[in-house]
Structure formats: C-alpha cells, structure tokens
Amino acid sequence: MDDEPFVRYLEDKVKSTIEKYGLIGGGDRVLVAVSGGKDSTTALYVLKKLGYNVEGIIIDHLLGEYSRKNLSNIQSFCSECGIKLHVVYMREEYGYSTCYIKSVLNSKGVRVNQCSICGVMRRSILNRKARELKASKIATGHNLDDEVQTVLMNMLKGNVYQSARLGPRAGVLDSGKFVPRIKPLYFCLEAETERYSRIHDFPVVYEPCPCSLDSFRTHVKKLLNGLEEENPGVKYSIINSFLEILPDLKAHESGGAVKECEACGEPSSRRLCRVCEITGAMRSVS
Ligand SMILES: [Zn+2]
C-alpha cells in the first residue's frame, strides 16, 4: 500500500474502533497519556486530526537520557501541533524514580520488575491527574501487539482473570473516582503505528525503554512475532478470540464492590492499592 492510502487506512481504523466501542462521545475531554514514543504520539496526532478535544500528559519517570529526550521531543511536537501538554515529575509525586524503587526493593530481596512498577505508578498518577484536570477519558497508545502480549502473558503466568481489565475500554472498576481508559489504537499493529509515525516524521525515539530489555514481555513479543511470520493474521485471531470471552471475564471479576484504598483513597479492588503496597514496601526497607 502506498503511503497516502495507508495513512487513510490507519485513521479510518482508529475512527471505526472509537465508534464501534463508543470510546469517545460528544462532550468528552480526552487526556492522552504520552511517553514520547511512536504509539502515543500517533494516538495524540490522530485523535486531534479526527477533531476530538485532546490534551497530552507525560510522566517523567527519570530514566536518564532516555526520559530527557522523550520529554523534549513531545514538548516540541505538542507546541508545533498546538496541543496543550501537562508534565508530571515522578520524583515530585512519590519522592523516588522508578529505577530507584526497583533497585531498593530488589536489594532487599523483594522481587519486582521495573515495567510493573512503572505501569502501576503510571496508572495511578494518570487517574488522579485526569480527575484534577476534569478529563472524562484517558487515552493511551496501546496497540494490538501490546494487547496480544498482555493477554498471552496473563495466560502463561496462570492469571487469566487479570485480562478482565483489558479491552478497548480498560478497567473493571465502576467508581466515580475512576476515569475510564481507552485504547484508540487497539486494532493497529505495532508495525503500522511505526510506519505512520515515520511517514509523518514525528520526533520520537524508536528504541525501546532501556529498562524493559530484560523483561518477560520481550520474550513473549519475540515469540508472537515469530508466530505471526509463519501464520500471518495470528495476532488478530488471538485478539478476536479474546474479545469474545472478555464479557465473561469482566462478569467474573465485577462481583465485589469497588473499594477505596485505605491509605490513599484511590479506587482499588483490594484493601491497599498497589501503589501503596510499593511505597509501603519502600518505607519498610529503607
Ligand atoms: Zn493507595
């Protein structure tokens, strides 16, 4: 496919995903969680182009040069596109960088992986900031590859019900404090968002996060790419099967009442939210 029809194809796919799953309605104010990478930059750009009311938000995880480059890239991108950008600094929110948390916990024998710390902190900060900014939706740059990887990882780890919180509209918690998270790039392959980003010459770093290199996700990603090469379309098959059983997974998980974390008051399915578990562990070992 030539570049011009490809650009239209991807934008149409995003639009039909939004319409089919009711991701964004007329009055929605959408906060797009950006990282400076190709996926979230593409999500922000396409939503703006489709005429939605969008602002960007980036969390600086303080991972050295990688974070600095991503931050300056997204700042120049947003000012060029006339999009308001909010910047949140990890150390101001929690007093520690993600790397520091991981190294302290690991040195004390608490097994925890960088990507899960980053993901937990990120989701919590985004939810809180979205409420403060009166945004009605949080959009992320998750693509089809990310979602298939997560579905498979949950299966491989024996946590199939954890996938209940996935889908184009994420989350199982129905709480006034919980801002719905949406994934407009749900049916876009990673290779497609990369192509879209390169065609537009977006200022992004294409290398993965330096801290993610040893993670389980990288193995699963390689496995899936190998499968896709031998069986084109296998990623779509997995996600379509998953979407068929997703309502059952959600029904299974929605039994308990939504709780609020006893320590911080954020919505949580448990007594303490995972952020407070992590920060509690930090206090107990330091
Ligand atoms: Zn908490």
Side-chain angles (χ1 to χ4, degrees):
M1 206 188 298
D2 290 334
D3 283 353
E4 209 174 301
F6 169 77
V7 164
R8 238 184 354 259
Y9 155 81
L10 187 135
E11 290 166 358
D12 287 348
K13 187 145 79 169
V14 173
K15 191 159 190 264
S16 65
T17 302
I18 291 171
E19 287 168 359
K20 180 172 179 190
Y21 292 93
L23 301 187
I24 307 175
D28 269 327
R29 284 189 62 189
V30 184
L31 194 59
V32 183
V34 289
S35 63
K38 64 188 188 314
D39 300 302
S40 52
T41 303
T42 295
L44 182 57
Y45 182 87
V46 173
L47 291 182
K48 167 93 175 163
K49 187 168 175 185
L50 293 174
Y52 296 109
N53 181 1
V54 291
E55 291 179 6
I57 184 168
I58 183 165
I59 299 168
D60 189 342
H61 286 280
L62 305 160
L63 305 174
E65 185 53 30
Y66 183 78
S67 298
R68 274 193 292 279
K69 185 78 192 142
N70 279 314
L71 181 59
S72 75
N73 278 345
I74 198 70
Q75 282 171 327
S76 59
F77 173 84
C78 285
S79 78
E80 207 163 291
C81 298
I83 298 170
K84 184 162 187 184
L85 177 71
H86 305 272
V87 183
V88 181
Y89 295 94
M90 182 76 184
R91 196 172 284 139
E92 282 175 19
E93 296 297 314
Y94 292 112
Y96 320 105
S97 74
T98 317
C99 279
Y100 181 73
I101 295 174
K102 182 195 171 197
S103 64
V104 169
L105 294 183
N106 284 355
S107 74
K108 304 289 176 180
V110 181
R111 278 194 54 207
V112 60
N113 116 357
Q114 176 98 19
C115 295
S116 61
I117 298 174
C118 193
V120 165
M121 301 301 220
R122 185 177 135 90
R123 273 196 298 277
S124 175
I125 294 174
L126 286 174
N127 192 56
R128 197 152 34 79
K129 292 289 168 185
R131 281 203 319 266
E132 286 171 20
L133 296 166
K134 304 212 177 341
S136 49
K137 299 278 164 61
I138 298 168
T140 62
H142 287 97
N143 60 42
L144 184 87
D145 289 66
D146 298 322
E147 186 85 349
V148 177
Q149 287 157 23
T150 309
V151 167
L152 200 59
M153 285 162 69
N154 286 339
M155 298 275 287
L156 294 171
K157 287 195 250 176
N159 296 333
V160 68
Y161 285 111
Q162 252 187 20
S163 294
R165 62 166 84 162
L166 302 177
R169 281 179 85 109
V172 290
L173 297 180
D174 189 13
S175 151
K177 281 191 164 181
F178 183 76
V179 181
R181 290 194 305 273
I182 58 169
K183 301 173 189 166
L185 306 182
Y186 198 80
F187 293 100
C188 300
L189 292 163
E190 182 176 18
E192 293 177 332
T193 61
E194 175 160 351
R195 182 174 174 192
Y196 189 91
S197 173
R198 289 191 189 277
I199 289 172
H200 289 81
D201 212 9
F202 291 151
V204 306
V205 178
Y206 287 93
E207 287 74 49
C209 172
C211 296
S212 72
L213 293 176
D214 62 344
S215 73
F216 183 46
R217 181 174 292 274
T218 310
H219 293 291
V220 171
K221 179 175 183 167
K222 277 189 195 144
L223 176 76
L224 280 164
N225 285 344
L227 279 173
E228 180 74 29
E229 210 165 291
E230 287 168 33
N231 314 272
V234 77
K235 291 175 185 171
Y236 284 109
S237 304
I238 295 173
I239 222 61
N240 287 330
S241 299
F242 168 67
L243 287 172
E244 280 181 36
I245 59 164
L246 181 59
D248 295 329
L249 296 179
K250 282 192 191 289
H252 181 273
E253 291 298 281
S254 67
V258 180
K259 301 184 191 79
E260 286 183 1
C261 170
E262 285 180 7
C264 71
E266 288 295 302
S268 169
S269 53
R270 296 182 283 184
R271 195 175 64 80
L272 278 184
C273 74
R274 292 191 64 202
V275 170
C276 288
E277 280 178 7
I278 292 172
T279 50
M282 286 296 287
R283 276 194 297 275
S284 71
V285 296
S286 57

